[in-house]
C-alpha cells in the first residue's frame, strides 16, 4: 500500500506518464506451446496407481513419475490447498512461483506450466485440465489458482495476530516434507517454498494494491490436473482457512480434505520427452 507524501507533488505531465502503454516483460511466443491434445489423448486407458487424502489443516506428500498425470481434487466441500513441488531426485530443484508468475500471469490454468528454480529452470509440470477455468477474472480482479500469495505461515501470524498457530500451511508443509525427506524440522524448513494456491480465489485491491482473498468457487468434484514433465515429489496442505472466504490460520473456518490422484498412462504422449535443464552455461559473465 503506497502512502502519498504531501511534499511530493505530482509533476505537470503526471497524466501523460500514467497513460504510457505497458509492455509485457516476458513475451512467451517463442516458447513451444504444450501439446494439450497429445497429453489428453494419452489419458485414454490410463490406470490410477496411487491416491493420497490430505486431512483438513494438515499436509501430505506424494510422488509422480515423469510421464504420468496427477489431479488435485475437491471431495467434500470448498477447500483451498497450498502446493509445493520438487524434482524427486534433487530437491534443490523446486517450483519457482515467481518466475512462473512472470511467464504466465498471476493465476494459472490449462496450458500453463510450473517452472523450476535456477539453474535448471525448466517445466516441472503442465496443467492439462482445470474445471474452474470458467471463472476467469471477476469484477474485483479475482481469479483462482494464484501464484501471488506465499502461503499462510506462523511468523506472519505472530506479527499480525500474536500467539503461535502451528497449522499454517508453511508449518503443515514443513512437517510433511520433513517426514518424506527424513530430516529434522529445522533442516526441512528451508526447502519449503512459495506455493501454487490451488482453488484459492485471490487478487489485488485496485485502490491500495493489497493481496485479497474471497470465498473459493470450488465444488466437490472439481479438480486441477497436471502432467509430470520430470519425476516429482509434491506436497499439498489443506489450508486452515477452508475456502478462505473469511480468514485463514484459524481453527474456526470450516475445512475439508483434499484428494491427490496419480494416473499412469499406457504410453507417454506421442513425441514427448522429459525437458532438459536450462541451456545457460552459468558463467555469469566471467
Amino acid at each position: 500500500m503506497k502512502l502519498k507524501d504531501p511534499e511530493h507533488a505530482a509533476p505537470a505531465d503526471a497524466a501523460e506518464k500514467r497513460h504510457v502503454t505497458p509492455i509485457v516483460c516476458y513475451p512467451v511466443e517463442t516458447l513451444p506451446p504444450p501439446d494439450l491434445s497429445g497429453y489428453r489423448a494419452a489419458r485414454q486407458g490410463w490406470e490410477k496407481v496411487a491416491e493420497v487424502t490430505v486431512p483438513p489443516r494438515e499436509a501430505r506428500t506424494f510422488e509422480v513419475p515423469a510421464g504420468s498425470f496427477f489431479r488435485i481434487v475437491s471431495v467434500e466441500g470448498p477447500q483451498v490447498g497450498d502446493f509445493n513441488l520438487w524434482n524427486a531426485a534433487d530437491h534443490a530443484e523446486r517450483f519457482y512461483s515467481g518466475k512462473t508468475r512472470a511467464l504466465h500471469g498471476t493465476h494459472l490454468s490449462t496450458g500453463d506450466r510450473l517452472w523450476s528454480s535456477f539453474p535448471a529452470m525448466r517445466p516441472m509440470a503442465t496443467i492439462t485440465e482445470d474445471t474452474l477455468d470458467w471463472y476467469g477474472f471477476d469484477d474485483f480482479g479475482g481469479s483462482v489458482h494464484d501464484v501471488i500469495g506465499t502461503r499462510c505461515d506462523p511468523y506472519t501470524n505472530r506479527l499480525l495476530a500474536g500467539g503461535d498457530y502451528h497449522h499454517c500451511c508453511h508449518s503443515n508443509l514443513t512437517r510433511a516434507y520433513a517426514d518424506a525427506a527424513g530430516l529434522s524440522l529445522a533442516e526441512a524448513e528451508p526447502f519449503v517454498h512459495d506455493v501454487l494456491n490451488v482453488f484459492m480465489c485471490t487478487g489485488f485491491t485496485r485502490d491500495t494494491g493489497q493481496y485479497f482473498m474471497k470465498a473459493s468457487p470450488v465444488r466437490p468434484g472439481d479438480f486441477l490436473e497436471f502432467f509430470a514433465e520430470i519425476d516429482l515429489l509434491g506436497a499439498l496442505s489443506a489450508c486452515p482457512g477452508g475456502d478462505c472466504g473469511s480468514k485463514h490460520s484459524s481453527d474456526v473456518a470450516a475445512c475439508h480434505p483434499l484428494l491427490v490422484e496419480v494416473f499412469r498412462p499406457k504410453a507417454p504422449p506421442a513425441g514427448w520427452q522429459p525437458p532438459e535443464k536450462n541451456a545457460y552455461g552459468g558463467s555469469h559473465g566471467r
Side-chain angles (χ1 to χ4, degrees), residues 51-62 71-83 132 145 169 172-173 196-200 216 218-224 235-243 255-261:
E51 66 175 37
V52 175
T53 297
V54 182
R57 298 183 177 87
E58 293 289 349
R60 295 291 185 270
T61 60
F62 57 94
R71 287 179 173 180
I72 298 175
V73 188
S74 168
V75 288
E76 288 186 9
Q79 177 66 44
V80 306
D82 286 40
F83 180 44
L132 290 174
H145 314 310
C169 287
N172 296 347
L173 292 167
L196 169 60
N197 281 308
V198 178
F199 304 141
M200 192 170 181
S216 173
V218 67
R219 306 150 297 182
D222 279 326
F223 61 85
L224 190 62
L236 180 67
S237 171
C239 182
D243 71 354
C255 292
H256 305 277
L258 292 169
L259 177 68
V260 178
E261 300 176 304

Side-chain angles (χ1 to χ4, degrees), residues 124-149:
M124 303 181 78
T126 299
I127 299 176
T128 48
E129 189 167 353
D130 173 15
T131 64
L132 290 174
D133 61 4
W134 58 266
Y135 191 88
F137 283 86
D138 60 34
D139 292 341
F140 299 96
S143 191
V144 293
H145 314 310
D146 83 73
V147 279
I148 50 179

Side-chain angles (χ1 to χ4, degrees), residues 102-117:
L103 290 171
H104 297 303
T106 57
H107 298 77
L108 304 186
S109 190
T110 307
D112 292 330
R113 290 179 147 154
L114 277 62
W115 293 82
S116 71
S117 54

Side-chain angles (χ1 to χ4, degrees), residues 8-129:
H8 299 156
D13 61 348
E16 179 182 349
K17 291 183 182 299
R18 291 192 183 102
H19 285 87
V20 171
T21 302
I23 300 171
V24 173
C25 293
Y26 296 105
V28 295
E29 288 77 15
T30 57
L31 292 176
D35 180 11
L36 289 176
S37 61
Y39 287 137
R40 289 169 173 171
R43 298 187 303 194
Q44 297 298 318
W46 66 5
E47 175 188 8
K48 183 159 75 169
V49 294
E51 66 175 37
V52 175
T53 297
V54 182
R57 298 183 177 87
E58 293 289 349
R60 295 291 185 270
T61 60
F62 57 94
E63 294 188 355
V64 187
S68 299
F69 295 84
F70 64 101
R71 287 179 173 180
I72 298 175
V73 188
S74 168
V75 288
E76 288 186 9
Q79 177 66 44
V80 306
D82 286 40
F83 180 44
N84 268 188
L85 202 58
W86 300 265
N87 176 341
D90 177 11
H91 296 180
E93 182 182 0
R94 56 197 184 189
F95 173 51
Y96 189 175
S97 69
K99 189 58 67 178
T100 300
R101 176 176 66 248
L103 290 171
H104 297 303
T106 57
H107 298 77
L108 304 186
S109 190
T110 307
D112 292 330
R113 290 179 147 154
L114 277 62
W115 293 82
S116 71
S117 54
F118 301 152
M121 200 196 163
R122 57 177 168 172
M124 303 181 78
T126 299
I127 299 176
T128 48
E129 189 167 353

